[in-house]
Amino acid sequence: MGQMIDMLCSGHAACPGCMEALSLRHVIAELGPDTVAVIPPSCLAIMAGPQPFSGLRIPVYQPTLESSAAAASGIRRALDVRGRKDTHVVALAGDGGTYDIGFQSLSSAAERNENILYVCFDNEGYMNTGAQKSSSTPHFARTSSTPAGKHSRKKNLTEIMAAHEIPYAATATPGYLDDLLQKVRKAKSMRGLRLITLLVPCLDGWGVPDHFGVGLSRLAVESGVFPLYEVEDGARYKLTGPGKTRPVADYLNVQRRYRDVDEAEVEQLQREVDAGWQRLLEKAKPC
Amino acid sequence: MSTKRVLLTGNHAAAWGARLARPKVVPVYPITPQTPVLELLTEFQAAGEFDAEILTPESEHSVMAACIPASLTGVRVFTATASQGLMLMHEVLHYAVGARAPIVMVNVNRTIGSPWAFWPDQTDSVAQRDTGWIQYYVENAQEALDTVIQAYRVAEGVSIPAMINLDAFYVSHALEPVAIPEQELVDAYLPPYRPAHFLEPGRNESWGNVVTQEMYYRHRRDIGAAMDRVPALAVEADRDWELATGRGWGAIERYRCEGAEIVIVTMGSMCGTARDAVDALREAGVAAGLVKVRLFRPLPSAALRKALAGARDVLVLDRNFSPGVGGVLHQELRAALYGMKSAPQVHGYLAGVGGVNVPPDRIVHFAREARASDAEPEPVWVK
Ligand SMILES: Cc1ncc(C[n+]2csc(CCOP(=O)(O)OP(=O)(O)O)c2C)c(N)n1
Ligand code: SF4
Ligand SMILES: [Mg+2]
C-alpha cells in the first residue's frame, strides 16, 4: 500500500465501526489530493460535514440526492475548461442516491461517457433516514419500510452499468481491501465513466455488532452473494476474488435484518445466488 | 362514541389520520423529518390494519407521478413528503391540479437546500402556492390528524388536491395527547370516494390529451371556480367534524381579538407561541389578539378582512422567506387587505426563518415595537 495520505479527518459522525467510513478513507487516500468530490445526502454526507468543519481534506460539493452524476459532470467540464484535465472528479454516493433517485442522471452521464469516477457506497438501504428499503435492498431483508421483509429482488447496478458499455465497472468490498485499492488504482488510470459498486455492510441497518463489518463483508463474498469482479467496455469480464465457498445461510444467520426468513426463503436465496454465479462464470469464461 | 386517547407525535397523528381515511393507494418516499409517517403506515399494513397498496418508487417525482393517475383511476390516494421531496415534485404538483386529482398529502415543513439543513421553515410549501393545491397549516398533532380527514372531504368535494403542512420537529416530532376517533365515526363523516369520472375500460374516458386555447382557458377558469368554493366548504367540513368529535379549528381562528388594536397573524406551530405572547400582552394591558391562518390556499380573504377590521396594527410573523419580496404571508395579507376602508397597517416580520427559535417574550417585544412604529414596506429581519 505504501505511505497512506489520510484525507478523512477524525471526529466525523459515522457510527463506530462503520464500514462506509473505513472505505471512504481508503478510496480518497488512493485518489490523492488532486481530487474534487461530489457527495449527495447519505451517511457519507454526515462524515463530510457539518459546517464549519469538513471531514475531507479535498473540496466537496454536496448536490441534491438525485443529481450526483450530473453535478460531477458539471465540475468535470468546468475543470477541463480551466485546464485541469488531470484533476480527478469522484462521486461518492449511497445506493439510494444511485440505484434509485439518482439513476436517471447516472445513466445519462454514462451514455455521455463523462470522465468521472462514480463510487456507489452500497449499504443496501436508505440508512441516513433510518434504514428504509432501496432497490438495492436484497430479497426478504427487513427494513423500516418493509417490516415484513422485501418482496422483490436486488437490482444489479454493476451489470446495468456494464450494459452502458462504460470503460470500467467493478464490484468491491472493504473486507478485501487490496482488491478494492487495486480497483480504485486501475479506475484512476483510466478515462471516461468508471463505476465501482462498493458493498459496505451497515452495522445498524443490517443488525450486526460494531466489530463485525469486515467479517460480514468477507462473508458476502465467500457465500457468493456479492462476487468480486470487473468488466471493461461492457465486454471483458474478470473475476478478481475468491470463489463461492459457503452456503448463503452462513451470511444470513448473522444479520438481524434476516431474522424472520424461513427455510423456503433461504433455499430460494441460495438458488438465486447459484444462478447469479452461473451467469457470471459464463460471462467471465475465457474465449 | 368511544375514542382512544394516546400520546402521538404530529407525524404519527397524521399517519393515523391517513389510516382512518382509508386511502387505497399510498406511494411514498422517505425524507427527514417525514419518514415516521411512511414507517407507521407500512407497520399498519404489515399488521393487517391498513388495507392499501403502498408503493415505494425511486423518487418523490415518481411518487406524485403515481399518485395522480391512481387517483384518476377512481381511488383515494395519500402521500407524505418534506422539503426537497416537495421541491422535486413541483412539476407534477401542477399536473395533479390540472388533472383535478383530489390527492391528500402531508408535508413536513423543513428548510430547503442549499446548504443542507433540517430545521422548521415553511418556504418549501409557500413556494408551491401557485400550483393550485389547497394548503392547510396545522399547529399540533391533534389538528394534524383531524385535518387529514377533513382535507379529503374538501379535496374530493371540489376535485382539487390538498396539502397539510406541519412544522418540522415542533409539530412532526413533538409528543402530545391525541384523541383517535373511532373508524365508524370517520366512515360516517367521510364516505368512500366515488368520483363521477375515472379511467376504466368500457367508459371511454381519458385524461391529458392536447386541448385548444379555448379549452385550456376554460379548464383554468374551472379550477379557479373550484378554488373559490373551498373556503366555504372548508368551514362546513370543519363544522361537521366539530359536531362529530367536539373539535373544530376554523379556516382561520381568532384568538382574543375582541377590541384588539394589534393582531398577530401567523401559521403553524408559531401560533402556539403567539397565543402565549397575546396572553402576556393582555395581562400587561395591551389589547392584542391572534389570527391563525389555517387555510392558506385558497386564502380566505373575506374572512381575514372581517377578522382584522378595526385593528390599527397587524403584525405578520413569517417563518419563510422569498428573497426580493420578504415574507410570503406578509405579501399575501397586504394584498388581501388592500383597498379596505381604514385598513390596518401591516408589519412584516421575518421571524423564525431557518428554524431559529422565537420564544413568546420575543413576540411580545415585536408587538410592542410594531405598535410604536409605522409599518415599513420592507420586511424586518428579527430573531
Ligand atoms: C429529493 C430528496 N428526497 C429525499 C431526501 C432524504 N434523504 C436524505 S439521505 C437519504 C437516504 C439516501 O440513501 P443512500 O443513498 O443509500 O445513502 P445512505 O444513507 O444509505 O448512506 C434520503 C432518502 C433528500 N435528501 N432529497
Ligand atoms: S448507519 Fe450504517 S452506513 Fe450509516 S454511519 Fe452508521 S454504520 Fe455507517
Ligand atoms: Mg444506502
Side-chain angles (χ1 to χ4, degrees):
Chain A
M1 210 189 320
Q3 192 73 0
M4 175 166 160
I5 315 163
D6 212 339
M7 293 200 301
L8 176 64
C9 306
S10 61
H12 61 74
C15 304
C18 175
M19 286 293 95
E20 204 158 291
L22 177 82
S23 309
L24 173 67
R25 175 168 176 235
H26 285 282
V27 167
I28 57 175
E30 192 59 46
L31 285 171
D34 192 14
T35 303
V36 179
V38 171
I39 303 183
S42 56
C43 286
L44 294 161
I46 302 306
M47 299 167 212
Q51 199 77 353
F53 305 109
S54 177
L56 277 66
R57 293 186 214 277
I58 48 174
V60 175
Y61 173 68
Q62 297 203 14
T64 59
L65 186 53
E66 68 280 3
S67 59
S68 302
S73 306
I75 294 173
R76 170 79 278 154
R77 299 300 183 100
L79 285 172
D80 288 353
V81 169
R82 296 183 50 201
R84 303 204 54 154
K85 289 189 188 289
D86 293 329
T87 298
H88 300 288
V89 177
V90 65
L92 306 163
D95 50 290
T98 304
Y99 288 67
D100 285 345
I101 195 166
F103 188 71
Q104 169 170 306
S105 65
L106 174 59
S107 178
S108 175
E111 182 273 329
R112 299 189 308 274
N113 199 22
E114 294 285 350
N115 186 25
I116 58 176
L117 172 60
Y118 193 107
V119 185
C120 174
F121 286 70
D122 187 355
N123 55 20
E124 303 191 322
Y126 293 170
M127 299 315 175
N128 187 243
T129 41
Q132 295 79 36
K133 76 114 211 191
S134 77
S135 59
S136 168
T137 303
H139 211 167
F140 304 127
R142 253 184 192 236
T143 68
S144 73
S145 62
T146 54
K150 187 175 173 242
H151 298 308
S152 56
R153 295 177 59 170
K154 178 183 164 101
K155 202 190 260 187
N156 192 327
L157 177 75
T158 315
E159 289 301 300
I160 297 167
M161 294 315 293
H164 285 68
E165 302 190 347
I166 51 176
Y168 189 67
T171 62
T173 189
Y176 291 88
L177 191 57
D178 288 345
D179 178 73
L180 163 59
L181 294 179
Q182 167 61 29
K183 284 167 175 164
V184 175
R185 219 169 294 137
K186 181 163 179 175
K188 188 180 166 187
S189 73
M190 300 169 84
R191 296 189 87 82
L193 197 139
R194 296 138 286 154
L195 170 111
I196 298 176
T197 309
L198 187 55
L199 186 77
V200 280
C202 169
L203 310 168
D204 200 44
W206 297 15
V208 290
D210 291 0
H211 66 271
F212 198 51
V214 171
L216 190 55
S217 162
R218 287 183 159 258
L219 276 179
V221 175
E222 291 163 10
S223 61
V225 166
F226 191 78
L228 295 178
Y229 67 103
E230 60 185 22
V231 193
E232 288 183 48
D233 299 320
R236 295 187 301 284
Y237 279 70
K238 189 175 148 206
L239 295 174
T240 63
K244 179 161 70 81
T245 56
R246 282 169 175 275
V248 168
D250 286 2
Y251 176 65
L252 307 179
N253 289 341
V254 292
Q255 302 178 53
R256 227 170 31 242
R257 63 176 172 161
Y258 290 113
R259 64 187 173 277
D260 292 326
V261 292
D262 59 27
E263 228 164 276
E265 288 168 343
V266 174
E267 276 168 28
Q268 184 171 339
L269 284 172
Q270 185 67 60
R271 279 195 302 276
E272 289 173 11
V273 166
D274 291 347
W277 251 101
Q278 210 44 50
R279 275 198 305 274
L280 185 60
L281 287 181
E282 291 292 322
K283 289 180 183 163
K285 230 194 305 205
C287 19
Chain B
M1 195 74 70
S2 81
T3 306
K4 229 178 7 181
R5 245 178 194 288
V6 289
L7 275 179
L8 289 180
T9 62
N11 275 336
H12 283 179
W16 264 100
R19 166 177 162 164
L20 290 164
R22 298 189 192 269
K24 287 289 166 249
V25 175
V26 179
V28 66
Y29 192 84
I31 182 163
T32 306
Q34 161 270 37
T35 313
V37 179
L38 175 170
E39 290 178 338
L40 188 58
L41 289 176
T42 58
E43 275 172 38
F44 286 155
Q45 189 203 41
E49 298 163 351
F50 185 51
D51 178 25
E53 291 286 335
I54 296 183
L55 58 152
T56 51
E58 89 296 344
S59 72
E60 290 90 351
H61 191 275
S62 289
V63 162
M64 188 46 62
C67 284
I68 301 165
S71 175
L72 294 187
T73 308
V75 302
R76 189 167 284 157
V77 176
F78 177 79
T79 190
T81 191
S83 177
Q84 300 300 127
L86 190 66
M87 297 297 113
L88 193 57
M89 283 180 184
H90 180 76
E91 179 197 27
V92 258
L93 291 181
H94 281 280
Y95 215 86
V97 173
R100 306 293 300 266
I103 301 153
V104 168
M105 170 162 68
V106 164
N107 176 61
V108 182
N109 291 117
R110 167 190 148 185
T111 45
I112 44 185
S114 55
W116 289 101
F118 305 90
W119 319 124
D121 185 307
Q122 297 169 343
T123 308
D124 56 357
S125 55
V126 295
Q128 310 307 319
R129 67 194 188 279
D130 296 336
T131 59
W133 280 62
I134 296 164
Q135 285 197 25
Y136 286 97
Y137 288 78
V138 303
E139 188 184 336
N140 58 46
Q142 182 72 64
E143 192 183 356
L145 185 153
D146 292 350
T147 307
V148 168
I149 297 165
Q150 289 188 12
Y152 275 109
R153 266 273 283 262
V154 178
E156 291 170 6
V158 289
S159 297
I160 297 277
M163 190 188 299
I164 294 102
N165 295 288
L166 25 146
D167 282 327
F169 305 109
Y170 291 138
V171 181
S172 71
H173 282 63
L175 270 176
E176 292 175 285
V178 173
I180 301 177
E182 288 288 314
Q183 185 67 59
E184 299 79 66
L185 181 153
V186 178
D187 289 347
Y189 174 84
L190 184 69
Y193 180 47
R194 300 225 190 287
H197 303 281
F198 50 96
L199 299 172
E200 190 174 89
R203 295 179 59 95
N204 279 350
E205 290 180 325
S206 302
W207 179 250
N209 294 0
V210 171
V211 295
T212 63
Q213 298 94 319
E214 176 60 28
M215 290 157 92
Y216 192 89
Y217 172 91
R218 249 188 357 245
H219 186 59
R220 298 297 286 176
R221 203 183 53 194
D222 287 350
I223 290 169
M227 270 305 225
D228 291 345
R229 289 168 49 213
V230 169
L233 205 59
V235 167
E236 185 191 303
D238 188 59
R239 199 174 302 135
D240 288 351
W241 185 253
E242 187 170 7
L243 286 175
T245 65
R247 288 187 306 275
W249 307 92
I252 60 168
E253 182 205 330
R254 304 178 71 209
Y255 178 73
R256 302 189 76 170
C257 283
E258 319 73 43
E261 288 165 13
I262 178 156
V263 179
I264 299 164
V265 182
T266 191
M267 305 197 289
S269 63
M270 186 82 79
C271 295
T273 325
R275 237 180 274 276
D276 285 355
V278 165
D279 290 347
L281 284 161
R282 286 275 179 179
E283 191 98 340
V286 181
L290 164 73
V291 166
K292 160 178 167 178
V293 177
R294 177 167 174 256
L295 181 68
F296 169 72
R297 265 295 177 277
L299 193 74
S301 301
L304 283 168
R305 280 178 164 234
K306 218 168 121 193
L308 298 173
R312 198 185 65 124
D313 293 285
V314 165
L315 169 60
V316 184
L317 302 178
D318 268 299
R319 196 185 272 286
N320 69 77
F321 177 51
S322 170
V325 178
V328 168
L329 187 60
H330 178 215
Q331 178 192 18
E332 298 260 328
L333 213 64
R334 277 190 299 192
L337 303 187
Y338 185 78
M340 185 177 157
K341 241 189 240 122
S342 53
Q345 53 169 348
V346 186
H347 306 259
Y349 278 30
L350 294 165
V353 173
V356 296
N357 188 29
V358 183
D361 59 339
R362 291 302 296 158
I363 299 182
V364 168
H365 173 76
F366 304 153
R368 290 187 184 281
E369 194 179 78
R371 249 166 57 98
S373 54
D374 290 335
E376 300 283 341
E378 285 82 28
V380 185
W381 283 91
V382 291
K383 271 205 288 199

